[in-house]
Amino acid sequence: MQHEIVLEGHGFRLEPLSQAHVGALAEIVDHEMWAGMSTPTPVGEVGMANYIEDALSASDVLPFAVVDTVNGEVVGSTALCGVNVEQERLEIGRTFYARSLWGRVVNPACKFLLMEYAFEQMGTYRVSMRADSRNTRSISAITRLGATYEGTLRGFRIAPDGSRCDSVSFSILEPEWLQVREGLLDRLDPLRNVSGINWPNPDKLFGQRAGDLVSDGAPEE
């Protein structure tokens, strides 16, 4: 779905995904990093153009490009999927980041921006996330967000290679958002709860990038 939503903070900007992002995103992707995704690897600019077109053509998907605001580079993509306004639920997925940012705060930063918008602007009650059961990095990253494990969906989907995969399901509900929000902000700004710090503006120092404080980054379904 084409949209005009722009979300920015903590060193990253989520802007509407478009074909203008094809070149940068095509350079990020390789078969190994794409393992665990529900779609075939988008090979080259043609493959990425098709991937983006698929996201834009879905009526329940709000796709974003992830831009590093420090250097202006496109470093990944993510989306709000399965958006159901009537039932007040959606899923965060179609997420991948450049390997250069793995182990940094890109994932919690983007998840914070997406969930803040979902819960506080869209009036969403339930935000869910899924990962291939073999994708231990993504499962660990989702768990670190404060999401609740709901179960493993056995044989949930057919992978691009034809194998049948299990998916691990997580969710965060609106009553849980405040606590999750605080936990994410603590990760994004380590000084926010430290008393007696005499920095002139700790948010400015740590809001841009908190360095190698977390280990996230692998793709999610």
PDB file of all heavy atoms in Angstrom, residues 87-101:
ATOM      1  N   GLN A  87     -10.265  -4.734  13.584  1.00  0.00           N
ATOM      2  CA  GLN A  87      -9.918  -5.621  14.692  1.00  0.00           C
ATOM      3  C   GLN A  87      -8.755  -5.091  15.533  1.00  0.00           C
ATOM      4  O   GLN A  87      -8.329  -5.743  16.484  1.00  0.00           O
ATOM      5  CB  GLN A  87      -9.572  -7.012  14.150  1.00  0.00           C
ATOM      6  CG  GLN A  87     -10.748  -7.738  13.516  1.00  0.00           C
ATOM      7  CD  GLN A  87     -11.866  -8.001  14.518  1.00  0.00           C
ATOM      8  OE1 GLN A  87     -11.612  -8.289  15.695  1.00  0.00           O
ATOM      9  NE2 GLN A  87     -13.106  -7.878  14.054  1.00  0.00           N
ATOM     10  N   GLU A  88      -8.226  -3.929  15.158  1.00  0.00           N
ATOM     11  CA  GLU A  88      -7.169  -3.250  15.909  1.00  0.00           C
ATOM     12  C   GLU A  88      -5.939  -4.139  16.084  1.00  0.00           C
ATOM     13  O   GLU A  88      -5.369  -4.256  17.166  1.00  0.00           O
ATOM     14  CB  GLU A  88      -7.685  -2.797  17.281  1.00  0.00           C
ATOM     15  CG  GLU A  88      -8.856  -1.834  17.187  1.00  0.00           C
ATOM     16  CD  GLU A  88      -9.410  -1.444  18.544  1.00  0.00           C
ATOM     17  OE1 GLU A  88      -9.062  -2.097  19.551  1.00  0.00           O
ATOM     18  OE2 GLU A  88     -10.202  -0.493  18.612  1.00  0.00           O
ATOM     19  N   ARG A  89      -5.508  -4.750  14.980  1.00  0.00           N
ATOM     20  CA  ARG A  89      -4.320  -5.599  15.047  1.00  0.00           C
ATOM     21  C   ARG A  89      -3.495  -5.446  13.781  1.00  0.00           C
ATOM     22  O   ARG A  89      -3.997  -5.079  12.717  1.00  0.00           O
ATOM     23  CB  ARG A  89      -4.705  -7.066  15.241  1.00  0.00           C
ATOM     24  CG  ARG A  89      -5.450  -7.692  14.066  1.00  0.00           C
ATOM     25  CD  ARG A  89      -5.646  -9.189  14.256  1.00  0.00           C
ATOM     26  NE  ARG A  89      -6.288  -9.781  13.098  1.00  0.00           N
ATOM     27  CZ  ARG A  89      -7.537 -10.259  13.076  1.00  0.00           C
ATOM     28  NH1 ARG A  89      -8.282 -10.200  14.168  1.00  0.00           N
ATOM     29  NH2 ARG A  89      -8.028 -10.786  11.976  1.00  0.00           N
ATOM     30  N   LEU A  90      -2.207  -5.743  13.916  1.00  0.00           N
ATOM     31  CA  LEU A  90      -1.289  -5.749  12.784  1.00  0.00           C
ATOM     32  C   LEU A  90      -0.057  -6.564  13.154  1.00  0.00           C
ATOM     33  O   LEU A  90       0.109  -6.993  14.297  1.00  0.00           O
ATOM     34  CB  LEU A  90      -0.908  -4.325  12.362  1.00  0.00           C
ATOM     35  CG  LEU A  90      -0.313  -3.381  13.409  1.00  0.00           C
ATOM     36  CD1 LEU A  90       1.192  -3.644  13.615  1.00  0.00           C
ATOM     37  CD2 LEU A  90      -0.517  -1.934  13.008  1.00  0.00           C
ATOM     38  N   GLU A  91       0.810  -6.765  12.168  1.00  0.00           N
ATOM     39  CA  GLU A  91       2.042  -7.523  12.369  1.00  0.00           C
ATOM     40  C   GLU A  91       3.209  -6.705  11.824  1.00  0.00           C
ATOM     41  O   GLU A  91       3.064  -5.990  10.834  1.00  0.00           O
ATOM     42  CB  GLU A  91       1.950  -8.862  11.635  1.00  0.00           C
ATOM     43  CG  GLU A  91       3.178  -9.744  11.790  1.00  0.00           C
ATOM     44  CD  GLU A  91       2.987 -11.112  11.151  1.00  0.00           C
ATOM     45  OE1 GLU A  91       1.826 -11.492  10.888  1.00  0.00           O
ATOM     46  OE2 GLU A  91       4.002 -11.795  10.912  1.00  0.00           O
ATOM     47  N   ILE A  92       4.335  -6.780  12.503  1.00  0.00           N
ATOM     48  CA  ILE A  92       5.566  -6.175  11.985  1.00  0.00           C
ATOM     49  C   ILE A  92       6.366  -7.266  11.291  1.00  0.00           C
ATOM     50  O   ILE A  92       6.647  -8.309  11.884  1.00  0.00           O
ATOM     51  CB  ILE A  92       6.404  -5.534  13.102  1.00  0.00           C
ATOM     52  CG1 ILE A  92       5.623  -4.386  13.757  1.00  0.00           C
ATOM     53  CG2 ILE A  92       7.730  -5.015  12.548  1.00  0.00           C
ATOM     54  CD1 ILE A  92       6.342  -3.757  14.935  1.00  0.00           C
ATOM     55  N   GLY A  93       6.707  -7.048  10.035  1.00  0.00           N
ATOM     56  CA  GLY A  93       7.436  -8.070   9.292  1.00  0.00           C
ATOM     57  C   GLY A  93       8.124  -7.491   8.075  1.00  0.00           C
ATOM     58  O   GLY A  93       8.312  -6.280   7.970  1.00  0.00           O
ATOM     59  N   ARG A  94       8.493  -8.377   7.144  1.00  0.00           N
ATOM     60  CA  ARG A  94       9.216  -7.990   5.932  1.00  0.00           C
ATOM     61  C   ARG A  94      10.431  -7.131   6.292  1.00  0.00           C
ATOM     62  O   ARG A  94      10.712  -6.114   5.655  1.00  0.00           O
ATOM     63  CB  ARG A  94       8.298  -7.238   4.967  1.00  0.00           C
ATOM     64  CG  ARG A  94       7.074  -8.031   4.515  1.00  0.00           C
ATOM     65  CD  ARG A  94       6.204  -7.232   3.577  1.00  0.00           C
ATOM     66  NE  ARG A  94       6.867  -7.038   2.285  1.00  0.00           N
ATOM     67  CZ  ARG A  94       6.692  -7.808   1.210  1.00  0.00           C
ATOM     68  NH1 ARG A  94       5.873  -8.851   1.259  1.00  0.00           N
ATOM     69  NH2 ARG A  94       7.327  -7.549   0.078  1.00  0.00           N
ATOM     70  N   THR A  95      11.151  -7.562   7.338  1.00  0.00           N
ATOM     71  CA  THR A  95      12.232  -6.760   7.897  1.00  0.00           C
ATOM     72  C   THR A  95      13.600  -7.329   7.530  1.00  0.00           C
ATOM     73  O   THR A  95      13.852  -8.515   7.722  1.00  0.00           O
ATOM     74  CB  THR A  95      12.113  -6.709   9.435  1.00  0.00           C
ATOM     75  OG1 THR A  95      10.838  -6.155   9.794  1.00  0.00           O
ATOM     76  CG2 THR A  95      13.221  -5.862  10.035  1.00  0.00           C
ATOM     77  N   PHE A  96      14.463  -6.478   7.024  1.00  0.00           N
ATOM     78  CA  PHE A  96      15.863  -6.852   6.828  1.00  0.00           C
ATOM     79  C   PHE A  96      16.727  -5.600   6.883  1.00  0.00           C
ATOM     80  O   PHE A  96      16.293  -4.510   6.527  1.00  0.00           O
ATOM     81  CB  PHE A  96      16.067  -7.596   5.499  1.00  0.00           C
ATOM     82  CG  PHE A  96      15.732  -6.799   4.259  1.00  0.00           C
ATOM     83  CD1 PHE A  96      16.711  -6.094   3.572  1.00  0.00           C
ATOM     84  CD2 PHE A  96      14.430  -6.757   3.769  1.00  0.00           C
ATOM     85  CE1 PHE A  96      16.413  -5.364   2.427  1.00  0.00           C
ATOM     86  CE2 PHE A  96      14.118  -6.030   2.619  1.00  0.00           C
ATOM     87  CZ  PHE A  96      15.111  -5.336   1.949  1.00  0.00           C
ATOM     88  N   TYR A  97      17.959  -5.786   7.371  1.00  0.00           N
ATOM     89  CA  TYR A  97      18.895  -4.682   7.535  1.00  0.00           C
ATOM     90  C   TYR A  97      20.252  -5.048   6.940  1.00  0.00           C
ATOM     91  O   TYR A  97      20.627  -6.223   6.860  1.00  0.00           O
ATOM     92  CB  TYR A  97      19.103  -4.351   9.019  1.00  0.00           C
ATOM     93  CG  TYR A  97      17.847  -4.114   9.806  1.00  0.00           C
ATOM     94  CD1 TYR A  97      17.461  -4.999  10.810  1.00  0.00           C
ATOM     95  CD2 TYR A  97      17.041  -3.007   9.561  1.00  0.00           C
ATOM     96  CE1 TYR A  97      16.311  -4.779  11.556  1.00  0.00           C
ATOM     97  CE2 TYR A  97      15.890  -2.782  10.299  1.00  0.00           C
ATOM     98  CZ  TYR A  97      15.525  -3.671  11.290  1.00  0.00           C
ATOM     99  OH  TYR A  97      14.388  -3.450  12.019  1.00  0.00           O
ATOM    100  N   ALA A  98      21.009  -4.026   6.562  1.00  0.00           N
ATOM    101  CA  ALA A  98      22.363  -4.237   6.058  1.00  0.00           C
ATOM    102  C   ALA A  98      23.221  -4.884   7.138  1.00  0.00           C
ATOM    103  O   ALA A  98      23.112  -4.556   8.321  1.00  0.00           O
ATOM    104  CB  ALA A  98      22.969  -2.894   5.638  1.00  0.00           C
ATOM    105  N   ARG A  99      24.078  -5.792   6.713  1.00  0.00           N
ATOM    106  CA  ARG A  99      24.945  -6.478   7.669  1.00  0.00           C
ATOM    107  C   ARG A  99      25.811  -5.490   8.461  1.00  0.00           C
ATOM    108  O   ARG A  99      26.185  -5.761   9.603  1.00  0.00           O
ATOM    109  CB  ARG A  99      25.855  -7.458   6.939  1.00  0.00           C
ATOM    110  CG  ARG A  99      25.143  -8.705   6.422  1.00  0.00           C
ATOM    111  CD  ARG A  99      26.133  -9.626   5.735  1.00  0.00           C
ATOM    112  NE  ARG A  99      25.499 -10.813   5.208  1.00  0.00           N
ATOM    113  CZ  ARG A  99      25.273 -11.919   5.909  1.00  0.00           C
ATOM    114  NH1 ARG A  99      25.636 -11.967   7.179  1.00  0.00           N
ATOM    115  NH2 ARG A  99      24.697 -12.966   5.352  1.00  0.00           N
ATOM    116  N   SER A 100      26.132  -4.353   7.873  1.00  0.00           N
ATOM    117  CA  SER A 100      26.990  -3.373   8.553  1.00  0.00           C
ATOM    118  C   SER A 100      26.364  -2.845   9.837  1.00  0.00           C
ATOM    119  O   SER A 100      27.061  -2.307  10.706  1.00  0.00           O
ATOM    120  CB  SER A 100      27.298  -2.200   7.623  1.00  0.00           C
ATOM    121  OG  SER A 100      26.097  -1.535   7.238  1.00  0.00           O
ATOM    122  N   LEU A 101      25.030  -3.001   9.983  1.00  0.00           N
ATOM    123  CA  LEU A 101      24.353  -2.516  11.182  1.00  0.00           C
ATOM    124  C   LEU A 101      23.949  -3.639  12.121  1.00  0.00           C
ATOM    125  O   LEU A 101      23.346  -3.374  13.165  1.00  0.00           O
ATOM    126  CB  LEU A 101      23.115  -1.699  10.798  1.00  0.00           C
ATOM    127  CG  LEU A 101      23.380  -0.349  10.133  1.00  0.00           C
ATOM    128  CD1 LEU A 101      22.096   0.437   9.994  1.00  0.00           C
ATOM    129  CD2 LEU A 101      24.409   0.454  10.909  1.00  0.00           C
TER     130      LEU A 101
END
